Amino acid sequence: GQSLEQPSEVTAVEGAIVQINCTYQTSGFYGLSWYQQHDGGAPTFLSYNALDGLEETGRFSSFLSRSDSYGYLLLQELQMKDSASYFCAVPLRGALTFGSGTRLQVQP
Amino acid sequence: DADVTQTPRNRITKTGKRIMLECSQTKGHDRMYWYRQDPGLGLRLIYYSFDVKDINKGEISDGYSVSRQAQAKFSLSLESAIPNQTALYFCATSVGQEYGYTFGSGTRLTVV
């Protein structure tokens, strides 16, 4: 089996940097993904890490440490539109299993 | 048109009724998935399919069935709806996890 742990809620101010952590327990490891979901919307794919290190895509970066079974999503220069839920996910037998999500509130 | 289309968008049904949620995709991907989302519980996998002849149970398949009518179509049925199946249901498609899943807009189902 597998499980993913991430904080339920994070609050930050506009323009700041925020880090959303995810720890996972899996019987095998095949990559860590991140998704964003705005209220009432569909989840959208943000990033995928298969190897250790930092992957940067614009204001968003994702980090993975396989030895620590840990990853994080880093959001820089926060904007109000970044207020959303963020999910980490790992595959189990070919289909993604999602964490419970971290709700990010960006304040002015 | 959306890459992944789910119908209906909203549905209210009575306990014991059979209901079908439909999903179609224009991405040309072989892999399709059905997830359920409840507040605070994230997305939970119901069924998934890697091609027309392949159907796999997910974490919470009891009370649900699926049909993969074509590469582009994957429908989810609730054989006898019960109130705790009230949730937001998402269909998704992918070519592989490294390229991300594309989700539909969801079907909000209420069982009364």
Side-chain angles (χ1 to χ4, degrees):
Chain A
Q2 59 191 45
S3 66
L4 299 105
E5 296 286 336
Q6 48 181 134
S8 59
E9 192 166 335
V10 173
T11 301
V13 297
E14 206 171 5
I17 299 172
V18 72
Q19 179 174 311
I20 298 174
N21 299 319
C22 174
T23 57
Y24 58 86
Q25 293 182 343
T26 61
S27 54
F29 181 74
Y30 303 98
L32 181 70
S33 301
W34 288 93
Y35 285 76
Q36 178 192 61
Q37 185 181 29
H38 287 99
D39 284 347
T44 57
F45 173 66
L46 292 177
S47 68
Y48 168 78
N49 294 67
L51 302 176
D52 292 349
L54 190 68
E55 297 275 348
E56 298 183 48
T57 308
R59 294 189 297 113
F60 292 7
S61 302
S62 55
F63 172 83
L64 176 66
S65 170
R66 288 174 294 172
S67 60
D68 296 321
S69 297
Y70 164 75
Y72 65 73
L73 182 68
L74 190 73
L75 294 80
Q76 303 182 75
E77 302 173 17
L78 280 174
Q79 302 176 7
M80 297 299 293
K81 68 179 181 179
D82 297 329
S83 292
S85 292
Y86 293 85
F87 297 89
C88 58
V90 294
L92 174 63
R93 293 190 297 273
L96 287 179
T97 293
F98 289 81
S100 296
T102 299
R103 188 174 183 86
L104 170 63
Q105 292 189 337
V106 180
Q107 297 178 339
Chain B
D1 289 343
D3 291 330
V4 182
T5 301
Q6 292 185 234
T7 56
R9 289 296 308 274
N10 294 280
R11 180 73 182 268
I12 300 174
T13 192
K14 293 183 177 181
T15 297
K17 293 290 187 181
R18 185 178 190 274
I19 182 170
M20 179 182 290
L21 309 183
E22 299 190 6
C23 176
S24 62
Q25 53 102 352
T26 59
K27 301 282 285 185
H29 295 166
D30 288 326
R31 303 180 186 189
M32 297 189 74
Y33 313 84
W34 275 104
Y35 285 88
R36 166 180 171 160
Q37 187 172 35
D38 298 277
L41 293 180
L43 294 147
R44 291 185 292 167
L45 181 67
I46 307 172
Y47 272 95
Y48 61 105
S49 170
F50 285 169
D51 64 40
V52 175
K53 296 181 180 180
D54 176 74
I55 300 290
N56 303 281
K57 292 183 177 180
E59 178 188 359
I60 54 164
S61 59
D62 287 350
Y64 302 94
S65 63
V66 290
S67 174
R68 185 78 185 268
Q69 301 96 322
Q71 184 201 39
K73 296 183 181 296
F74 192 36
S75 60
L76 175 72
S77 294
L78 285 68
E79 299 302 325
S80 179
I82 56 177
N84 77 0
Q85 291 178 312
T86 293
L88 184 56
Y89 290 85
F90 285 104
C91 175
T93 187
S94 80
V95 68
Q97 62 144 342
E98 62 269 34
Y99 302 106
Y101 285 18
T102 301
F103 284 84
S105 299
T107 294
R108 187 169 296 280
L109 176 67
T110 303
V111 183
V112 298

